[in-house]
């Protein structure tokens, strides 16, 4: 009986506590910098698309919400012909970002993606692609990779050794 | 002629006031519960969010009113109307201010006890007609609950009746001119309060609807306005019990300075808020606990209360 009255009193005292509610649209909650939200496709420091359409993100995605098709430009660079993410299926796990070898696909701290029409949750490449480098600066995949593109022959990449001629006997 | 007119005004005034209050209680309850849980509650629609009531009403009116094909249709439809009817009927005998009462019955308390007991049928029939195991369990719990509190509910009021010497609620209020009955009848008040909680099946005695184990129990099959009627019935029931407590134990409309109606309203609101605080604070007991509690503790206490009150009143006379 006493305990009942006591709990009534303690609950009553909660009236004078600080509210825990965050009045959302006016007051924003703190989002950690590594918050996994909306996905963007970034560009390398030279302003070219970073994505090389390797399909690794699409394979890593546990809910199969990434669709893309590879294409190759005249200079030898690969790029996605289309790149589509269905955000109504995405679970924001970040596996795609981990799988990506070129830092192209990145999750940013933005979660305000509500739509009235479900179809609008499907983002195409033009919605995903941003004009910057995102979270990882200064990385350009083709500068490191041993792939030959126009303007860069084999062995000219950073930290890359000259190709060995297997038919020669010289060291 | 003018007396008839006055009566009609009183009837519709009380009806209108009551339904408005019942709707407003949705908002009051949500705000108060939020207050006691360190939240804000609905505060967006209109000033302090009070128009959430309108939004809720519009929503509930436009909801599909679905009757499950396996239900017993007639009983299913009748059940929610019973609770509305009975709580509104019981309100007829509550004197809001001197002379402002719909039905000045000389057996007011008996009428209240009888009609409010009929209200239980609503719950039991709803549980039965839904043809659903959980609903049936809810209805059964309600009948078990009724067995436990109905006995001492009536008995707890007899002390008041002995002291006032009348079953008429206006007479009882007038008898409290000098002293509220809560002082000599404190035990009776506590017992009636517990019984009233169980009667309006509010938390902590909401075993029939127990969301956590019976998924809303007797009204889990109800939707749209039928569900709304259960809710309005529950809220009017809460105001009814609060009003009865005020009239029987807290001197009804008596009070200094302010007009009688305002006093009545303030006291009633106090008890409504207390009901909500109880909901915020207490867990739900098992229904067999309520049964044994009712029969083994509260019933003997109520009987003792009558005995002692009767003896003292006799000795004074
Ligand atoms: S965050 Fe996870 S679910 Fe979303 S696209 Fe990337 S891998 Fe798929
Ligand atoms: S975003 Fe990254 S992982 Fe996905 S296809 Fe492009 S380069 Fe490959």
């Amino acid at each position: 009986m006493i305990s009942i009255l006591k709990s009534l009193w303690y609950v009553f005292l909660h009236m004078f506590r600080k509210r825990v509610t965050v009045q959302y649209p006016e007051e924003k909650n703190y989002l950690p910098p590594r918050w996994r939200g909306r996905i963007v496709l970034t560009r390398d420091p030279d302003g070219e698309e970073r994505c090389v359409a390797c399909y690794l993100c699409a394979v890593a995605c546990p809910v199969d919400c990434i669709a893309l098709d590879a294409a190759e430009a005249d200079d030898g660079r690969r790029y996605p012909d289309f790149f589509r993410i269905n955000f109504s299926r995405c679970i924001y796990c970040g596996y795609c970002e981990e799988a990506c070898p070129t830092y192209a696909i990145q999750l940013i701290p933005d979660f305000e993606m509500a739509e009235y029409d479900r179809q609008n949750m499907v983002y195409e490449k033009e919605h995903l692609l941003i004009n910057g480098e995102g979270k990882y600066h200064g990385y350009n995949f083709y500068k490191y990779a041993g792939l030959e593109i126009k303007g860069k022959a084999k062995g000219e990449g950073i930290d890359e050794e000259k190709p060995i001629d297997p038919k020669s006997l010289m060291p | 002629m003018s007396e008839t007119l006055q009566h009609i005004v009183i009837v519709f005034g009380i009806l209108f006031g009551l339904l408005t209050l019942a709707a407003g209680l949705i908002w009051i309850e949500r705000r108060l519960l939020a207050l006691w849980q360190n939240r804000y509650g609905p505060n967006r629609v209109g000033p302090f969010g009070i128009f959430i009531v309108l939004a809720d009403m519009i929503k509930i009116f436009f909801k599909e009113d679905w009757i499950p094909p396996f239900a017993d249709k007639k009983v299913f439809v009748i059940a929610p109307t019973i609770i509305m009817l009975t709580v509104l009927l019981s309100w007829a005998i509550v004197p809001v201010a001197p002379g402002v009462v719909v039905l000045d019955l000389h057996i007011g308390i008996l009428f209240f006890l009888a009609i409010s007991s009929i209200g239980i049928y609503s719950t039991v029939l709803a549980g039965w007609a839904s043809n659903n195991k959980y609903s049936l369990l809810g209805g059964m719990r309600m009948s078990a609950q009724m067995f436990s509190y109905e006995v001492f509910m009536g008995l707890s009021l007899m002390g008041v009746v002995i002291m006032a010497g009348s079953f008429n609620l206006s007479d009882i209020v007038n008898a409290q001119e000098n002293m509220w009955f809560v002082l000599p009848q404190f035990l009776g008040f506590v017992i009636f309060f517990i019984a009233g909680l169980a009667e309006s099946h509010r938390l902590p005695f909401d075993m029939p609807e127990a969301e956590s184990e019976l998924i809303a129990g007797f009204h889990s099959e109800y939707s749209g306005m039928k569900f709304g009627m259960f809710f309005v019935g529950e809220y009017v029931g809460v105001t009814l019990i609060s009003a009865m407590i005020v009239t029987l134990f807290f001197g009804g409309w008596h009070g200094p300075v302010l007009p009688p109606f305002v006093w009545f309203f303030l006291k009633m609101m106090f008890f409504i808020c207390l009901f909500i605080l109880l909901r915020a604070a207490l867990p739900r007991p098992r229904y067999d606990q309520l049964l044994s509690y009712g029969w083994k503790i509260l019933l003997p206490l109520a009987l003792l209360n009558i005995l002692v009150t009767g003896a003292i009143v006799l000795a004074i006379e």
Side-chain angles (χ1 to χ4, degrees):
Chain A
M1 190 64 205
I2 300 295
S3 70
I4 287 178
L5 293 180
K6 250 175 146 174
S7 64
L8 279 182
W9 175 244
Y10 287 145
V11 171
F12 181 76
L13 284 184
H14 272 266
M15 213 155 148
F16 309 107
R17 295 266 184 90
K18 198 175 165 295
R19 309 287 96 183
V20 294
T21 316
V22 177
Q23 297 280 349
Y24 162 58
E26 293 92 35
E27 249 176 78
K28 301 272 192 216
N29 214 346
Y30 168 73
L31 282 185
R34 292 189 186 183
W35 176 275
R36 300 193 306 267
R38 181 162 60 87
I39 296 173
V40 292
L41 286 177
T42 56
R43 291 175 187 273
D44 60 26
D46 305 334
E48 303 282 348
E49 279 175 45
R50 265 178 175 163
C51 177
V52 294
C54 67
Y55 294 97
L56 281 179
C57 52
V59 172
C61 180
V63 291
D64 281 350
C65 67
I66 303 179
L68 70 153
D69 199 8
E72 200 171 320
D74 294 336
D75 60 2
R77 293 175 69 114
R78 280 163 61 93
Y79 68 96
D81 194 21
F82 68 82
F83 198 103
R84 188 176 296 143
I85 298 184
N86 184 348
F87 280 109
S88 59
R89 274 163 73 181
C90 176
I91 55 173
Y92 304 99
C93 59
Y95 285 2
C96 47
E97 180 173 345
E98 284 177 29
C100 182
T102 64
Y103 289 148
I105 194 163
Q106 295 178 14
L107 281 75
I108 59 169
D110 169 26
F111 61 94
E112 290 157 321
M113 305 171 66
E115 293 280 359
Y116 281 105
D117 189 352
R118 203 167 287 188
Q119 196 54 38
N120 293 343
M121 295 292 282
V122 178
Y123 282 45
E124 295 291 344
K125 190 167 138 186
E126 68 253 38
H127 310 127
L128 295 165
L129 202 61
I130 60 168
N131 274 331
E133 299 170 53
K135 295 187 277 189
Y136 308 102
H137 294 276
Y139 181 74
N140 189 336
F141 172 74
Y142 287 107
K143 290 247 171 82
Y144 290 87
L147 193 72
E148 186 179 354
I149 55 168
K150 200 174 190 179
K152 192 202 89 171
K154 266 199 181 312
E156 286 178 4
I158 301 167
D159 292 343
E160 192 186 356
E161 291 181 1
K162 292 278 172 233
I164 295 169
D165 183 2
K167 293 182 180 134
S168 154
L169 282 173
M170 297 302 285
Chain B
M1 176 58 213
S2 75
E3 204 161 277
T4 331
L5 198 68
Q6 195 190 353
H7 207 83
I8 291 175
V9 169
I10 290 176
V11 169
F12 281 98
I14 289 186
L15 185 67
F16 181 75
L18 209 55
L19 292 180
T20 318
L21 187 63
L25 271 185
I26 301 174
W27 175 75
I28 293 176
E29 170 154 43
R30 287 177 65 184
R31 284 307 294 246
L32 282 180
L33 279 180
L35 204 59
W36 288 316
Q37 293 167 351
N38 298 2
R39 297 183 285 122
Y40 288 110
N43 62 353
R44 287 295 154 122
V45 202
F48 298 106
I50 189 145
F51 293 149
I52 194 80
V53 174
L54 288 181
D56 277 348
M57 299 262 255
I58 293 170
K59 182 181 136 194
I60 214 161
F61 272 117
F62 285 97
K63 278 250 165 132
E64 186 185 0
D65 200 356
W66 187 67
I67 300 178
F70 46 81
D72 186 342
K73 279 207 181 55
K74 280 186 203 129
V75 187
F76 189 85
V77 176
I78 288 173
T81 60
I82 295 177
I83 192 163
M84 281 287 279
L85 270 182
T86 53
V87 285
L88 287 178
L89 263 180
S90 312
W91 250 97
I93 51 126
V94 177
V96 178
V100 183
V101 51
V102 178
L103 199 60
D104 202 11
L105 275 183
H106 62 289
I107 49 159
I109 290 187
L110 292 184
F111 181 83
F112 159 72
L113 289 174
I115 295 292
S116 61
S117 308
I118 292 178
I120 308 305
Y121 276 104
S122 158
T123 319
V124 177
L125 287 180
W128 174 258
S130 297
N131 207 354
N132 163 329
K133 293 184 199 81
Y134 293 108
S135 303
L136 186 60
L137 278 174
M140 263 175 54
R141 284 185 181 191
M142 192 66 214
S143 44
Q145 189 167 326
M146 191 198 77
F147 278 124
S148 55
Y149 73 78
E150 202 70 50
V151 197
F152 60 82
M153 183 178 201
L155 289 177
S156 66
L157 295 182
M158 290 310 127
V160 171
V161 174
I162 293 172
M163 292 197 62
S166 167
F167 276 108
N168 183 314
L169 287 169
S170 305
D171 287 350
I172 290 176
V173 175
N174 282 327
Q176 299 179 69
E177 181 96 57
N178 299 317
M179 178 178 57
W180 290 355
F181 280 162
V182 66
L183 296 174
Q185 285 293 323
F186 187 71
L187 198 58
F189 159 65
V190 172
I191 297 173
F192 181 73
F193 188 78
I194 296 173
L197 263 182
E199 159 84 35
S200 57
H201 50 83
R202 294 269 308 172
L203 253 128
F205 296 131
D206 71 335
M207 283 80 107
E209 53 175 296
E211 287 94 344
S212 42
E213 69 243 37
L214 289 188
I215 42 166
F218 66 93
H219 60 57
S220 45
E221 295 291 354
Y222 281 86
S223 57
M225 211 40 221
K226 292 203 195 65
F227 170 78
M229 273 158 101
F230 275 122
F231 248 70
V232 174
E234 182 178 324
Y235 282 124
V236 180
V238 171
T239 57
L240 174 68
I241 298 294
S242 308
M244 285 308 278
I245 291 173
V246 169
T247 1
L248 293 169
F249 296 99
F250 285 83
W253 63 73
H254 287 309
V257 188
L258 296 173
F261 166 74
V262 175
W263 269 111
F264 182 83
F265 186 74
L266 284 182
K267 291 176 190 173
M268 193 173 81
M269 283 320 280
F270 173 79
F271 279 101
I272 290 175
C273 294
L274 189 60
F275 266 72
I276 296 171
L277 176 61
L278 280 170
R279 172 175 180 175
L282 297 185
R284 175 189 309 130
R286 274 200 328 262
Y287 72 104
D288 60 303
Q289 282 171 334
L290 178 64
L291 259 177
S292 62
Y293 194 62
W295 283 93
K296 289 182 194 154
I297 300 175
L298 293 177
L299 178 63
L301 277 181
L303 287 173
L304 195 72
N305 186 33
I306 299 177
L307 208 68
V308 174
T309 316
I312 291 176
V313 169
L314 267 185
I316 289 173
E317 278 175 6

